[in-house]
Every structure is written in C-alpha cells, then in structure tokens.
C-alpha cells in the first residue's frame, strides 16, 4: 500500500522528465525570444515567428511553469517524507493535463498535424491520465 509519505514507483521519474523538459523548453524559448539563440522556423511549431501564434505559444508559459514547479516541488517533498507532496503532485498533473489538451485542441482546430508537437502534448495528457487515478485511488 502506498502511504502519504511514499510516492508511487515511477512517478518521481515521470515528473522529473516532464517538468525538467518543460523548464528546458521555456529556457530555450526565452533565449530565442531575446535573440540569444537562433531557433530555425522549420524546427518550431507552425506559425512560429508570427505575432499571434507566438503570443498563443507564450500564453502557455504560466500554466507550464506552474505544473513544472509544483511537480518538482512534489518530488522534493516526497523525498523529504513530507505528506504534502500528494496535493502538489495532483495540482501538477491537473495542470499538465490541461496544458497538453489545450495544445492538442489548438492544433486540431487549425488542422495542423505535426507528430513533433502532437507527440509531446499527448504524452502530457497521457501521463496525467495514468498517474492521477493512481494517486487518488491509493490515498488511505
């Protein structure tokens, strides 16, 4: 049985990979925004470099940073034996699900299917759908 003090096996790695990748993405995006790194348009999302689509992309920064930081905080709390890790992990997973679903919805509405952008966003949705019921179901 999983207790409030123990994070399920595999969840810490999942959160570290997803949340670390998101922080890396936004770090690279910020460097590109400030002209400190050249990001080739062909490697980016459809519409990259246009004001409205770039604004759409940047509108995800708050939710992405929130889920990344709460997820990493949950891992840290669990490692320290702090039972408050569970609500932070659930908040992180809920925001992860929303961010991934919003992005996929946008690409679907624009009829733009690019596996390089759909894949990671569907992975966000899938990870949240996998772990959320396990956290809720294992709460004693």
């Amino acid at each position: 049985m999983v207790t409030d003090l123990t994070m399920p096996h595999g969840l810490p790695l999942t959160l570290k990979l997803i949340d670390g990748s998101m922080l890396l993405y936004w770090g690279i995006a910020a460097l590109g925004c400030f002209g400190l790194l050249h990001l080739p348009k062909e490697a980016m999302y459809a519409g990259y470099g246009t004001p409205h689509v770039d604004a759409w992309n940047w509108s995800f920064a708050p939710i992405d940073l929130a889920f990344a930081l709460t997820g990493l905080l949950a891992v840290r709390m669990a490692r320290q034996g702090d039972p408050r890790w569970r609500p932070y992990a659930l908040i992180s997973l809920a925001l992860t699900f929303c961010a991934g679903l919003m992005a996929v919805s946008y690409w679907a509405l624009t009829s733009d299917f690019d596996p390089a952008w759909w894949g990671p966003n569907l992975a966000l949705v899938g990870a949240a759908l996998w772990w959320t019921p396990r956290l809720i179901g294992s709460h004693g």
Side-chain angles (χ1 to χ4, degrees), residues 20-137:
S21 296
M22 193 56 65
L23 293 176
L24 179 63
Y25 172 82
W26 283 111
I28 290 170
L31 291 173
C33 185
F34 292 117
L36 300 173
L37 181 66
H38 173 70
L39 301 173
K41 284 188 177 192
E42 58 274 4
M44 300 304 291
Y45 47 84
Y48 175 74
T50 61
H52 282 97
V53 178
D54 285 348
W56 166 82
N57 183 59
W58 278 96
S59 74
F60 278 81
I63 194 170
D64 290 350
L65 295 174
F67 82 63
L69 295 175
T70 55
L72 294 174
L73 179 60
V75 171
R76 181 175 179 216
M77 292 173 126
R79 188 173 43 237
Q80 295 172 343
D82 187 335
R84 294 176 300 164
W85 70 264
R86 184 181 301 274
Y88 283 92
L90 287 168
I91 289 167
S92 176
L93 291 167
L95 294 174
T96 299
F97 175 83
C98 292
L101 186 61
M102 288 167 50
V104 169
S105 297
Y106 173 81
W107 298 122
L109 289 169
T110 61
S111 299
D112 183 9
F113 180 75
D114 180 351
W117 291 99
W118 276 70
N121 284 292
L122 287 173
L124 297 178
V125 171
L129 288 175
W130 174 261
W131 286 111
T132 300
R134 282 157 180 75
L135 289 183
I136 294 169

Side-chain angles (χ1 to χ4, degrees), residues 8-21 72 75 93 123 126-128 130-131:
H9 180 73
L11 180 57
L13 179 60
T14 301
L15 291 173
K16 288 178 194 176
L17 286 173
I18 289 174
D19 300 340
S21 296
L72 294 174
V75 171
L93 291 167
W130 174 261
W131 286 111

